[in-house]
Amino acid sequence: MSDQGARAQRRTEDGWWGRVYQGPTGALPDTPDAGPGEGSVDDWFDSVASIVAPEDGGGTAAGTPEAVTPPPAAPPAPPAPEVAEVAEVAEVVEVVEVVEVTAVADPAPTITIPAQPVAQRPPSYGPEPTLLPAAVPERITAVVPDTVLEGAQYPGFTLRAASVRGDSPRHRGEPRTDALLVTRFGEAPDGLLLAVLGGRARIPADPRAEPDPERQLTDDTIRQACAHLAEAIGRSHAELAADLREGARDRLRYGLQRLTARAAVGLRALAPEAGSLHCLLVPLDPAAGHRAAFGLGPGGLYLLRAGHWIDAYAARLLHHPDGPGEAPEPRPFRFRLVPAGPGDILLLCSPGLAEPIAGEPAVAQFLATHWAHPHPPGTVDFLRQAQVRAKGFAEDRTAVALWTD
């Protein structure tokens, strides 16, 4: 086994990971206000996450909304136990037969995915791809597939990831601009799994203006930014895994902020909000109790605990019964160290999915219903569920979900 993660090497002043922390936080490009401040946001998140304890959900059906929970069977009538027993057996046999037929045809949780929308208003576009993007012979290797699907399972967690072209780009014949990179560096206990999401921000433009190719963010730039960030993390994955094991919040925040700013130089060269870059880090050590998520630009980090969605970046409950609260202004660099709780589901996603989860309660409820089961969905089912449709949300979607055992 490599000694890359040895404690004696990790804390040396001339180590690469140690040099990442040199310089004040305010000197970073595009991150003037990304310092930890008084730590109030972290305290808010800890407070919000503790409201719904992991034990309440138990990682099982307790996180499932009451609307889909079958009512308890009525007790048999005392005067005629024989008749009641026969009736109960008949009901059980009938239910088993229905379940078997449904399972062979199509599992019930996926029959409305993605053809039928969950919201009241129907989407403007069809659920299936229409036009293929045009290709250039000289750049045939740059062709981007419509859909990318990833999955992994390690002791303590299961990961599902997907990136799919939106209904609107499919209708217009445009390529998928979201990027997804999922990989692993090293082996446990110093190994690290990471998922990097990149995308092009939807900036309102003057429809009368002529498009300027030099001012347009290319798909290659987005994917290069994802690769640069993954490469930088891979060079110090053992040190990062040790910091995650220790829960070194401030050290991780400072170092990952610098790595992200360097990787996103080309991504944000045209405009500060031209693109987004987010990453999820998961240690392979089963004893490590934290995951880290961070990034620049639009995107969402949500925690599903006991059937309730928490906006982890903003440290607030989504779809509160008292009405939606005012969302805080996002910082240029967003970071969250999330303690892993049994039954928790952590979701990092691009704006194409983050916006409908936050803006359409039916979408959030749909995903909570299908994901709060004892077992994570398969990769194909996860793709179908991530494509849940609602009017007004037709852009590319990229999602990385982590189920904690």
Side-chain angles (χ1 to χ4, degrees):
M1 180 178 294
S2 172
D3 59 354
Q4 187 174 3
R7 187 177 300 273
Q9 296 181 5
R10 189 168 64 86
R11 301 297 181 181
T12 55
E13 292 298 325
D14 58 345
W16 183 87
W17 180 239
R19 292 199 301 272
V20 171
Y21 294 98
Q22 296 176 0
T25 303
L28 287 176
D30 299 331
T31 54
D33 302 319
E38 300 178 356
S40 58
V41 175
D42 296 317
D43 296 337
W44 292 339
F45 172 74
D46 295 339
S47 176
V48 171
S50 64
I51 292 176
V52 185
E55 292 79 10
D56 296 341
T60 60
T64 305
E66 297 179 359
V68 295
T69 304
E82 295 82 6
V83 176
E85 292 177 359
V86 173
E88 288 179 356
V89 172
E91 290 177 358
V92 171
V93 173
E94 184 177 357
V95 170
V96 171
E97 291 178 353
V98 172
V99 170
E100 290 179 351
V101 174
T102 304
V104 173
D106 195 1
T110 62
I111 57 175
T112 60
I113 312 168
Q116 298 183 11
V118 297
Q120 297 295 330
R121 298 180 301 164
S124 302
Y125 306 104
E128 298 298 336
T130 304
L131 302 178
L132 286 173
V136 179
E138 293 77 14
R139 301 187 70 250
I140 196 65
T141 57
V143 173
V144 179
D146 178 272
T147 303
V148 174
L149 191 59
E150 293 280 4
Q153 185 173 1
Y154 287 90
F157 69 89
T158 299
L159 180 135
R160 297 287 182 260
S163 182
V164 60
R165 191 162 55 127
D167 292 342
S168 179
R170 283 175 167 179
H171 179 78
R172 299 192 303 264
E174 297 177 354
R176 175 174 55 89
T177 57
D178 274 8
L180 172 65
L181 191 158
V182 180
T183 189
R184 169 181 61 87
F185 295 108
E187 301 285 348
D190 298 326
L192 194 67
L193 184 148
L194 78 156
V196 186
L197 285 64
R200 177 189 302 166
R202 298 189 298 275
I203 302 176
D206 186 355
R208 298 168 297 180
E210 293 292 333
D212 185 1
E214 296 183 357
R215 298 290 298 173
Q216 293 181 356
L217 189 63
T218 64
D219 301 342
D220 291 342
T221 304
I222 299 172
R223 284 161 178 78
Q224 288 172 5
C226 294
H228 290 165
L229 181 57
E231 180 182 353
I233 291 173
R235 286 198 298 264
S236 289
H237 68 272
E239 290 83 352
L240 278 166
D243 284 341
L244 285 169
R245 187 182 303 113
E246 298 172 4
R249 174 186 295 169
D250 291 338
R251 179 176 173 85
L252 286 164
R253 188 202 308 268
Y254 293 143
L256 295 173
Q257 179 181 349
R258 284 160 171 76
L259 295 184
T260 307
R262 293 172 183 174
V265 168
L267 183 69
R268 317 192 88 192
L270 301 180
E273 302 299 330
S276 62
L277 183 65
H278 291 264
C279 181
L280 176 65
L281 298 181
V282 185
L284 298 182
D285 184 1
H290 293 86
R291 292 85 162 86
F294 57 94
L296 300 169
L301 177 67
Y302 301 120
L303 175 65
L304 180 60
R305 174 171 290 179
H308 299 274
W309 282 107
I310 300 173
D311 186 340
Y313 272 152
R316 66 187 183 104
L317 287 172
L318 286 181
H319 311 298
H320 196 277
D322 297 335
E326 183 178 355
E329 186 69 21
R331 295 185 175 188
F333 175 78
R334 292 186 283 177
F335 171 88
R336 182 65 57 225
L337 188 66
V338 182
D344 283 354
I345 302 171
L346 189 62
L347 173 66
L348 179 66
C349 52
S350 67
L353 184 58
E355 292 175 359
I357 289 178
E360 181 57 70
V363 172
Q365 180 71 17
F366 177 89
L367 294 178
T369 301
H370 287 274
W371 289 356
H373 293 289
H375 303 289
T379 52
V380 175
D381 286 339
F382 175 78
L383 173 63
R384 291 177 177 178
Q385 292 157 5
Q387 289 179 275
V388 56
R389 308 176 70 232
K391 186 175 180 62
F393 305 102
E395 299 299 326
D396 294 349
R397 291 186 179 184
T398 302
V400 178
L402 191 72
W403 278 260
T404 302
D405 296 345

